[in-house]
Amino acid sequence: MSTTESAIGVERSAPTLGLRAALSLLAHPLIVLTLCDGALPAAAFFALSYLVCVAHARLRPKWPRASFALAAATLTAAALLLRDSARLLGFADIGLAAPSGLRFVGLSYAYLRAVHALDCEKWSLRRYLRYFFFAPTFFSGPILAPGAHDTNLTGRASSHIAEGAARCVSGLVRITAAQVLLSLIPLENRLAARASFASWPLPLLWLGLFGSGIWLYLNFSGFTEIYIGVSRMCGVRAPENFDNPFAAATITAFWQRWHITLGDWLRGHVYDPVSRRLIAAPRHGMLVASLCAPIVTMVACGAWHALSVSYVAWGLWHGACLGLHAAWTRWATPRLTAGVRGHAAYRAAAWTLTHAAVAASWVLFLPASGDIGAVARLHMLCIAFGSGG
Amino acid sequence: MGATVNEIEDVRAILHGVLGDDRLEGVAADIALLKSGLLTSIELVSVSLELERRGARPVLGGGVAPGAISLDTLAAALQGRVEARAADETLTQTPLLQGLRGALRRPWLFALSALAGLLVCDRLVTVAIEQHAAGAYAAFLEGGKRLYPFAGGWSQDDFRFAVDHHAVRTRRSPSQRLTLFLGDSGTIGSFVAPDDSLVAQMEAGLQQRGERVNVANLAWFGRLTAKDLMLLELVWDLPFDTVVFTLGEDHFSRSKVDMWLSRYRHVSVNLPLYEAFLQRIPQAERGPFQALGARLAQTDVRHLGPLRRWGFAHLAAFHYGPFLQRVVQATLAPEWLAAREREAMAQRCTTAGQTGTLADGIDLDDIDAEQIAILRSTIRLLQRRNVRVVLYVEPRGPAEWLRDLATRKQAADIAREIGRDTGATVVDLSRALQGGAFLDTTAHYTAAANRVLGASLASALCPGDSP
């Protein structure tokens, strides 16, 4: 179903309206971006994405696929140009690309929302402005689809504020816990990683890598809780972004519980179209799709984080793991008896293997160094049992 | 509207055909198929294609999150119904959230209670540390030999608080002459014991030469002259007779100064000290100081300086946070989990046996004339007090890595020019160390390297009195 202007219309109570207005004024992303020299690229990307949405809405009735492809390609090229080009080409001081964490993150998420917006049939400038710059979720997940943004919460405003505040407090608790964990983990930065790999015993190193994932989860989900809480106070139900990912016993289940809205976006815009094409291949379509579609999707996911060898390698790793799991589920699992599949040892082994694979991947993801040679050596050291420590 | 039993059975039959097995037999209609691991993503695509071939509307989209797809939603798609599911409320029903939600029915009361609780905790921490754990805190600060323990991770940001706990304030011998040594993370002796820092080694070298001198290690991480002036302001009342400034290329590079200003909040949070120091400079020479002050003030806004200064002024947690963090992570944590940064750091000499290249010097158009003018004025101010000024040019990296570029100017050249104009002593040790003398980066030195640097400095300060 496409979301249209008519979806807005539920009466919003005065307190949430007031809160949203105050937030829009005081914490408007453009104000925050101005403080970190990122307002110009954000405004440029906003203008371009609005024009692309309008053009796509006009062209879609005649050429739906070509129009979507052209619009998505334009947005991707613009986001890459604004976010990565200066860094990759080595001129970091042109003003458009001064490295600033907030700006990078903001632009990356703005890109996802802009592609989501292509699913809508009609945008007014005012509605697109509100959707694009919705303050609570501008800089990070959850990634709001237009439908979720337009669907206002009904009921008493005080209950939304209480629920939102509860989410914010829960988020603060998680962030505090993450801060406590921060200096215990080996992947806080490249230097810490190098120090840990040089001196930690192997079992502790694996525990540290797992702890790094816990830290990232607490930190990211903590902020997400706050964003969801503030959204709720503003009368918008932002989707959940995490669902206890460390309970997942397979890599596929992990990605359905971790950064859920990004996973859904990737599924809708990369995985689904790619796998449909591959399945249709005349020979071994299913096998090729099982192995290749996750790799393409996760490489795109890595490149979305940043266009660097490290992130792309991280995406390849996860894509390969997902492909292997899909193949295992299709061809090996049915050959196992129900007794084996349900046995506690089988489940424990699945859980351990899943989280070892995830933990190992943080070596590529968290230091985010670009020093791929050093990181790869560390990675090899970690994975090769017995050679570390 | 939920699907009927017949609709569910139809979908089950289709899935059986696509998947080739009976794994969905007996599975409840509302079970999320992907999340429970019953279907993989590629299987969902196959199922979607088969359903669409039979006239169903697209399974994905229409408000159904992929994680929520069940037999129910597939049956709805097959029948052409749109069955958008609300956001998964079960995710929000944790006991913690339910309790919080209950407490937040009276939000003002909750906020006030939380605030009061935090303030009481803060006061209790103050009383506990200052009255019952003062010894432990002094031990944490290594007896006040440095402004913070061995790595920047354990530093709080308030210079005044740090200086008040430094030996220069708490147990200075009045019979000894006092030398102040200002500098960065290399000078302070990051990751080595306080007696292995180059400052302590210089003091030992001077004392071996018969000098009755105490050298105060007033270094703090970051290569900024502004930070040194803030620390100088705090000890201006002390009877020091020598000041050593640590200098490197970053001190004279406009881009690097901007980088340090934006990166480190301890510089902007102590802005009032800079403004106080400015008052000591003659009116005619204040221009460059005011220009740098404007850059600092701009950074202060970005770093929420006023808010953080309020925190430092009123809350103990701001000052004692690193101590408490260290108690948890290094003292209370079991041995196998405890933070071991000094030991870990001692095991790694990243430059040993490695090859690398460092372009020595600063681009001519990047030289920050403000910084040079500020340093000259400060030296003249100190000399009016009869204080000897030493400009120590710190090691840039392993000497064999350095590569001269004719188009760039080196920190040692600038220091020598300043020395010629002002009479300050210049000690150039920028190429004094080889590979293997550095720890995690080329900014931090091993204990052995600090001994070399300390001895060189002592010998430069007392050239005729070798021990």
Side-chain angles (χ1 to χ4, degrees), chain B residues 181-187 198 219 222-229 243-253 257 260 360 362 368 371-376 378-379 389-397 410-419 422 424-431 442-443 445 453 457:
Chain B
F181 205 133
L182 300 158
D184 53 32
S185 57
T187 311
L198 76 92
R223 293 166 173 167
L224 273 171
T225 306
K227 165 182 65 70
D228 295 342
L229 304 188
V243 172
V244 185
F245 286 95
T246 302
L247 297 175
E249 272 138 20
D250 289 7
H251 290 81
F252 303 117
S253 153
V257 168
W260 290 115
D360 210 1
I362 316 163
D368 194 332
Q371 301 297 317
I372 297 172
I374 286 170
L375 193 57
R376 283 178 201 273
T378 305
I379 293 170
V389 176
V390 178
L391 304 180
Y392 150 59
V393 185
E394 65 185 348
R396 168 90 171 89
Q410 294 175 14
D413 298 333
I414 299 173
R416 272 191 286 272
E417 284 169 14
I418 296 173
T422 59
T425 307
V426 177
V427 183
D428 177 11
L429 297 179
S430 57
R431 287 163 187 262
T442 52
Y445 324 121
L453 297 175
L457 277 161

Side-chain angles (χ1 to χ4, degrees), chain A residues 76-139:
Chain A
T76 307
L80 286 176
L81 183 76
L82 289 171
R83 195 189 69 172
D84 291 326
S85 62
R87 182 174 57 80
L88 292 177
L89 296 174
F91 48 97
D93 291 318
I94 59 169
L96 279 178
S100 153
L102 265 187
R103 215 198 75 195
F104 282 145
V105 173
L107 202 59
S108 298
Y109 281 92
Y111 163 73
L112 299 180
R113 285 195 301 279
V115 176
H116 257 325
L118 296 176
D119 293 338
C120 273
E121 281 171 3
K122 193 178 166 191
W123 284 104
S124 70
L125 181 60
R126 185 164 168 262
R127 178 171 160 239
Y128 191 69
L129 193 72
R130 268 177 34 199
Y131 167 66
F132 188 92
F133 284 117
F134 181 57
T137 58
F138 183 83
F139 289 106

